[in-house]
Each structure stands twice: as C-alpha cells, then as structure tokens.
Amino acid sequence: MNTLFKTVAAISTPHGTGGIAVVRISGDEALEVASRVFFPVSGMSITEAEGSRAYYGKIKYNGEVIDDGIATVFLSPRSFTGEDTVEISCHGGVLLTARVLEAVLSAGALPAPAGEFTRRAFLSGKLTLSEAEAVGERLYAKTDAQLRLSSPDAAGKLSAEVSEISARVMSLLSSLSAVIDYPDEELTVVGRDEAVSECEGIRGGISRLSASYKTGKALSCGVKTAIIGRPNAGKSTLFNLFTGEASAIVTDIAGTTRDVLTAEVTAHDVLLTISDTAGIRETDDLIESMGVERARREAGAAELILWVIDSASDEPLECEIPQTDAVTLAVINKTDAAGRETLEKIKNALAERSVDYVEASLLSGGGFEKIKDFIREKFTDGTLSVGRDAIISSARQASAANEALEYINSALTALGEGLPADIIVTELEGAYGALCQIDGREVTGDVVDEIFSKFCVGK
C-alpha cells in the first residue's frame, strides 16, 4: 500500500499489556481523523488544538465511549515526522489498544507500514538518512555501546562530518567548474598544487570515516566468533565465561559437546556472535563426527577464531586450524597444570605459525581479561571515542565512503598526470555523489525502502 503523504496511524508502543499504549496519527488530516475519535472533556474539538499541548478526553468507537485518555498534539513542522501529528494515549490493554487503532483507521487513517513515521521524518528533512538509521539501531540495541553509537549526538557527529567533507568537495568542484564553463571570464584559477593539497585533505577525512567502520561494525553488527580446539581443552569453559552462566555442559569427559552452541556476548563493548563447537579429532562415533564437521564449518565462516589449547595434554597442538583470513588467538589453557618446558614448546610452535596467544587457566577465569583485551585491540580503533567522533556503523555507509575514496584517489591521479580539468571535475562529482549517499541527500528509493523496512510498525 502506498501511504506516502496520506494520513497514517499505528500503535507506537510494544504489543502487550501495560499501563498505557500510544496510537500515533500523522499526516495532513491527522487532526480531523483524531477529532472523530477523541473528544476533549472541555467540549472543544481537536481540530482547534494548539501545538505541543496535551488534552484529556474520551475515546469513542462507533459512537460508544471505549476509554478515556490523553491526546498530545504536534503541529507541522514541530513534530517528529514534520507533519501534523496526534498521539492518543490510552490504557494499555491489548484488546483495548487494538480497538482504539480500529477507531482511528475507521475515521480515515491508513495503516502505517513498518518505519513509516521515521521515513516521513527523513523525507521532510527532520533527519538525515544516517540519523534515521541510528533511530532503528537504538530500537534494537542490545549493548550499552550500541546505545552510545546510535545516540542522537553520535548520529549528529557523523552527519556533521559528512556535511563538512561534502562542502569541501563542492567548493573545489565549483571553482574548477567555473573555470571550465567561463574560460573568458577573469576568474580566480585554482592552482594545481592547491587542488592537490585540498584533495589530499579531503581524502584524509574520507579515509578516517572509512576506517571507522572497523569499530562501528564490531560494536553494532558484531564479530562472528568460533571457539575451537581438541576435546576437553576448555572450550565450553571459555564459552561459559563469555555468557556469564553455565550455558554449555562442562565435564572431564572428552567429546561432551556434540553440536554448535551460539550466543551473543560482549568483550569490552565488542559484540560477538560466539559459537562453542565440538572438539576436533578423528572419531568413529557418527554423531560426534557430525559435530566435528560442524565445528570446522563454523571456523571456516568465522571472523575470529579462539583456539583453545590444553597445555596439560600429551598432544596440545594436534588440532586442524582452517586456512582462513580470520583473526586467530590461541588460548593456552590449563597453564597451572603444565610444565615450563611444555609451555615454552607450545609458545615457540605458535610463534613459528605467527599465531597470537595468551596464557590462561579458564576454570578459575585466569587470562579471560587478556582475551577480551586482545579482541578490543584487533576489532576497534582505540583512538576513536564513541559519541565524540564520527563513526560509520552500517555496511551501506561504509560502501558509500569507500566509493567516495576511490573517486578522490582518481582525482589525485588525474591531477598528478596533468589531465584536463574536466576529467578532475568528473571524479569530484562522483565523490560528492557518493558522500551524499551516506546521509541520504542522494540515494535511491529502493535503498530508502530497504532501510525503513527493518523498522518496527509504529516507528
């Protein structure tokens, strides 16, 4: 259903019983629709309401009073959507809330699709696309770091940084274009050295944005992580340390874990989708061999491999590590039960393979903080401060930043080779267009639809 610019409504509070629920109405006819459902006790009509005011009254459906509540009125452009908006707060029964929404829809509103209100805020210029994406990220935040990264201040930092870089590109673009378009006019010509210097400065800004995705991705999207190792090495113990509870069975019997256990956890704000896998070894047990195969597949798809080594065993390094681009950390476990000579032999063997390691005694939690420190160091930029610095957190934004970077590099190459100004202008136009995609100034309708389809109904 195409609801663009129509008056729409939806329940904007979570489904379930609660103290109150809110039905939001937005559009040019929001006040007229609300006036057919909500009747202030003062006797006035909601169509006469002042903006940013709340009114107590009765809620009616088919002429029957079904509840009493509060109607809060926001007049355009002073509303979240930028349109006239009425939010009716009623008692939060599931059936009652549904009836209030039915009343509003029967009064002339259309059902709002997922993310419709935020889409309208974007289309009316109340939010940039990056700020709108941050709203969605706040809705589904699972960690404090995700909340900080998606906060209005953090989203504003990104928009401001993109706007500043875009303005520099446009300034240089305008200067070069003017000289091309009006060669006979006495215009101030941008020197090639000056253009190179400005392009390099722009490249530095875009590069910082692009590099920030490493941190943004780790905090918002997470890092796919596989714990692997031989049976009884301590994999499930490490998994339980991350989850903070006895999620996986831990015994002295080798081969306890037969399937893949997965959980979302954090390591110093880095979100991990972490999997505990079956011990990797040769076995004739059909079920265990299926678990081993699954363990290998998990490791092959992981971005981070935590290889748990039983330093107290006779064959501590006998475990097949898949050849992947994943960051690998060897966790030398049970160091309290291993001899010094054995530990040195393990560490030397890992050094020969260029594998990072930490020493641990996982049953007592020893070495766990070092593991988390390693993850933070590898997957975040310690120079960035969430909420203070501009940080890209979505693959869409990162792709646009990388595209802009390619255009700027091409412009610098053209400048270095002394190519005509119109070629440089073409590259700068491409860079500007890519930057505009980050905050939505130049983005296709399909991209907008995809972003807002991930929102919940009522937001």
Side-chain angles (χ1 to χ4, degrees):
M1 180 185 297
N2 183 6
T3 61
L4 192 61
F5 306 126
K6 301 291 186 179
T7 296
V8 295
I11 299 169
S12 287
T13 42
H15 180 76
T17 302
I20 65 168
V22 175
V23 175
R24 177 183 283 168
I25 312 165
S26 183
D28 290 343
E29 298 180 356
L31 273 68
E32 287 79 2
V33 169
S35 71
R36 300 171 192 138
V37 175
F38 188 88
F39 300 86
V41 294
S42 66
M44 65 172 286
S45 170
I46 281 295
T47 56
E48 305 168 330
E50 299 178 32
S52 303
R53 292 286 299 274
Y55 300 86
Y56 172 69
K58 302 297 182 180
I59 303 169
K60 294 184 180 182
Y61 186 22
N62 291 333
E64 178 185 349
V65 175
I66 59 173
D67 198 13
D68 59 346
I70 302 291
T72 308
V73 177
F74 305 92
L75 299 181
S76 174
R78 298 178 181 274
S79 70
F80 175 72
T81 62
E83 305 172 318
D84 286 349
T85 301
V86 180
E87 295 182 351
I88 299 176
S89 300
C90 60
H91 291 90
V94 175
L95 181 58
L96 174 59
T97 307
R99 288 290 182 271
V100 174
L101 177 60
E102 287 176 19
V104 170
L105 297 179
S106 69
L110 294 173
E116 180 67 14
F117 298 117
T118 311
R119 176 204 293 265
R120 293 181 177 215
F122 163 65
L123 293 176
S124 65
K126 304 288 286 188
L127 298 172
T128 66
L129 193 57
S130 56
E131 289 170 333
E133 285 177 300
V135 171
E137 289 165 3
R138 285 202 294 280
L139 291 175
Y140 298 107
K142 300 175 183 177
T143 67
D144 288 339
Q146 288 176 327
L147 280 178
R148 296 198 306 273
L149 187 62
S150 62
S151 71
D153 284 351
K157 294 284 186 184
L158 177 58
S159 289
E161 183 73 11
V162 171
S163 294
E164 181 180 339
I165 297 172
S166 298
R168 292 181 67 178
V169 175
M170 179 52 70
S171 177
L172 180 58
L173 181 58
S174 299
S175 297
L176 292 173
S177 297
V179 173
I180 295 171
D181 294 339
Y182 305 101
D184 297 327
E185 300 292 333
E186 294 183 2
L187 299 173
T188 302
V189 178
V190 178
R192 190 166 296 273
D193 290 345
E194 182 183 351
V196 168
S197 177
E198 184 62 5
C199 274
E200 287 177 342
I202 291 167
R203 178 170 64 180
I206 300 174
S207 295
R208 286 192 297 274
L209 277 181
S210 179
S212 74
Y213 181 55
K214 171 186 175 182
T215 297
K217 180 179 182 296
L219 300 186
S220 63
C221 305
V223 178
K224 185 171 175 55
T225 305
I227 304 175
I228 69 168
R230 287 182 60 77
N232 211 29
K235 301 183 299 301
S236 295
T237 302
L238 178 57
F239 184 78
N240 290 345
L241 284 173
F242 274 112
T243 63
E245 57 186 20
S247 302
I249 297 173
V250 176
T251 73
D252 292 331
I253 303 172
T256 304
T257 302
R258 298 297 185 91
D259 208 341
V260 176
L261 298 179
T262 302
E264 283 192 333
V265 300
T266 57
H268 293 320
D269 285 343
V270 177
L271 181 66
L272 306 178
T273 302
I274 193 166
S275 297
D276 180 25
T277 66
I280 297 178
R281 66 174 176 180
E282 296 299 324
T283 177
D284 294 328
D285 185 300
L286 177 61
I287 297 177
E288 186 180 359
S289 65
M290 292 172 65
V292 170
E293 181 57 33
R294 290 185 179 186
R296 290 185 173 126
R297 286 204 302 268
E298 285 293 314
E303 298 169 83
L304 168 65
I305 293 174
L306 299 176
W307 174 19
V308 183
I309 297 170
D310 180 0
S311 62
S313 74
D314 295 332
E315 298 178 327
L317 296 175
E318 291 302 312
C319 176
E320 178 187 348
I321 303 296
Q323 296 298 314
T324 72
D325 294 329
V327 174
T328 300
L329 175 66
V331 180
I332 308 174
N333 191 27
K334 305 180 184 179
T335 54
D336 52 344
R340 182 182 299 275
E341 184 177 336
T342 300
L343 288 175
E344 288 303 314
K345 186 179 297 185
I346 293 172
K347 288 189 282 188
N348 289 336
L350 292 172
E352 289 177 3
R353 302 186 192 184
S354 299
V355 176
D356 293 307
Y357 64 84
V358 297
E359 297 182 44
S361 181
L362 297 175
L363 272 179
S364 62
F368 185 53
E369 289 300 315
K370 291 182 179 179
I371 295 171
K372 293 193 292 184
D373 289 344
F374 173 87
I375 293 170
R376 176 172 57 188
E377 178 183 344
K378 288 294 183 179
F379 290 96
T380 65
D381 182 344
T383 66
L384 291 175
S385 173
V386 178
R388 187 192 68 192
D389 296 312
I391 298 177
I392 282 177
S393 60
S394 79
R396 183 195 67 80
Q397 295 168 346
S399 176
N402 289 335
E403 184 180 352
L405 193 58
E406 289 178 8
Y407 278 115
I408 289 297
N409 283 331
S410 295
L412 279 166
T413 299
L415 283 165
E417 293 176 355
L419 298 180
D422 56 342
I423 295 178
I424 300 164
V425 164
T426 299
E427 300 300 339
L428 290 175
E429 287 174 341
Y432 183 80
L435 285 168
C436 287
Q437 291 177 35
I438 296 177
D439 61 8
R441 282 174 289 174
E442 290 187 14
V443 68
T444 66
D446 289 342
V447 170
V448 173
D449 289 343
E450 173 65 20
I451 290 170
F452 291 110
S453 69
K454 299 174 183 176
F455 283 49
C456 59
V457 173
K459 190 58 184 174

